[in-house]
């Protein structure tokens, strides 16, 4: 295993993306974002909690003045999506006329981003685009335009680098696959 977190790592089946692979990809994405948003009024909106780690690494590679904000939404209980998007915390600023970049850790069914982009577009921003570290297309039900994609991943239950299982494992420095036995007996 990559790091020294044995309490967490005993539940990891395999490492899918190392921290080094992630940082290299973020550099490429951040360079594109820097180019695309030059002269624009950029506000980066992190969708908590999953995007926290990705967002903090990504913004430190973007060479532009930018504003930050966060939303807290939730649609999952355990490993299953509920299909309902709850806004637990809304934006704290007005996005009228601003260029919004939504930052997500994972695009799965698309339910979350479908609802969020529609909601934010109704507030008259100049633009709304999406950056997602991971794209898991197998169960997509909504048509989502993903402008900045980190990695396409297979249909496995991934944890780490912000992603959780029952609120745990977010602090692993890489993306790993959770051992089935960890969630098999619980659902
Ligand atoms: C996860 C993830 C995305 C969403 C993606 O959030 O962070 O917001 O699910 O899935 P979808 O494309 O099927 O909608 P979750 O509800 O687990 O909350 P979290 O970010 O706090 O972990």
């Amino acid at each position: 295993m990559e790091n020294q977190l044995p309490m967490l790592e005993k539940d990891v089946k395999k490492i899918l993306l190392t921290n080094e692979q992630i940082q290299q990809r973020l550099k490429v994405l951040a360079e594109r974002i820097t180019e695309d948003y030059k002269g624009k009024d950029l506000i980066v909106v992190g969708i908590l909690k999953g995007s926290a780690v990705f967002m903090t690494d990504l913004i430190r590679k973007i060479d532009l003045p930018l504003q930050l904000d966060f939303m807290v939404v939730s649609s999952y209980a355990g490993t299953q999506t509920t299909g309902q998007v709850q806004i637990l915390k809304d934006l704290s600023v007005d996005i009228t006329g601003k260029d919004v970049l939504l930052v997500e850790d994972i695009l799965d069914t698309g339910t979350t981003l479908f609802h969020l982009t529609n909601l934010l577009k109704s507030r008259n921003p100049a633009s709304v685009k999406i950056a997602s570290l991971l794209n898991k297309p197998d169960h997509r039900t909504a048509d989502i335009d993903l402008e900045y994609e980190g990695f396409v991943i297979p249909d496995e239950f991934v944890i780490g680098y912000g992603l959780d299982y029952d609120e745990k494992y977010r602090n692993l420095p890489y993306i790993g696959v959770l051992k089935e036995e960890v969630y098999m007996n619980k659902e």
Side-chain angles (χ1 to χ4, degrees):
M1 289 290 168
E2 192 182 67
N3 211 266
Q4 298 296 317
L5 305 174
M7 286 253 283
L8 300 178
E9 298 201 321
K10 68 177 174 20
D11 295 336
V12 177
K13 186 162 119 183
K14 65 176 179 204
I15 296 177
L16 206 59
L17 298 165
T18 66
N19 190 273
E20 195 186 356
Q21 286 175 300
I22 294 169
Q23 299 306 329
Q24 280 174 5
R25 183 68 188 140
L26 263 53
K27 194 164 174 282
V28 175
L29 292 182
E31 279 168 7
R32 274 184 51 210
I33 291 167
T34 300
E35 198 54 42
D36 294 352
Y37 285 90
K38 255 183 202 135
K40 298 198 169 170
D41 195 358
L42 173 61
I43 177 164
V44 177
V45 174
I47 310 305
L48 297 175
K49 303 172 201 169
S51 72
V53 181
F54 171 45
M55 182 184 187
T56 51
D57 277 351
L58 183 71
I59 58 169
R60 283 178 289 174
K61 294 177 167 65
I62 299 173
D63 186 19
L64 288 175
L66 57 82
Q67 200 176 346
L68 279 188
D69 206 354
F70 299 93
M71 293 178 83
V72 182
V73 302
S74 193
S75 65
Y76 275 68
T79 58
Q80 300 298 311
T81 181
T82 61
Q84 297 292 318
V85 174
Q86 279 183 286
I87 305 228
L88 306 177
K89 183 215 166 283
D90 206 334
L91 294 175
S92 57
V93 295
D94 184 1
I95 56 165
T96 307
K98 291 185 186 293
D99 291 285
V100 178
L101 181 61
L102 280 173
V103 175
E104 264 288 21
D105 53 334
I106 185 165
L107 170 57
D108 187 2
T109 65
T111 306
T112 306
L113 283 169
F114 179 78
H115 283 87
L116 280 181
T117 45
N118 284 341
L119 175 69
L120 296 187
K121 279 178 181 167
S122 74
R123 297 177 183 178
N124 300 314
S127 66
V128 178
K129 288 190 175 157
I130 299 166
S132 183
L133 176 68
L134 305 176
N135 180 9
K136 189 155 94 170
D138 289 35
H139 302 290
R140 189 71 39 80
T141 54
D143 190 16
I144 303 290
D145 200 0
L146 182 52
E147 189 79 20
Y148 305 100
E149 172 187 271
F151 302 89
V152 178
I153 60 161
D155 185 21
E156 297 196 89
F157 196 86
V158 286
I159 50 166
Y161 201 74
L163 288 94
D164 73 309
Y165 167 65
D166 271 357
E167 297 300 329
K168 295 191 287 281
Y169 309 104
R170 295 191 198 272
N171 50 325
L172 282 170
Y174 50 77
I175 299 285
V177 176
L178 186 64
K179 285 182 182 166
E180 283 89 357
E181 65 218 50
V182 178
Y183 57 88
M184 276 312 211
N185 300 325
K186 296 196 177 166
E187 305 212 346

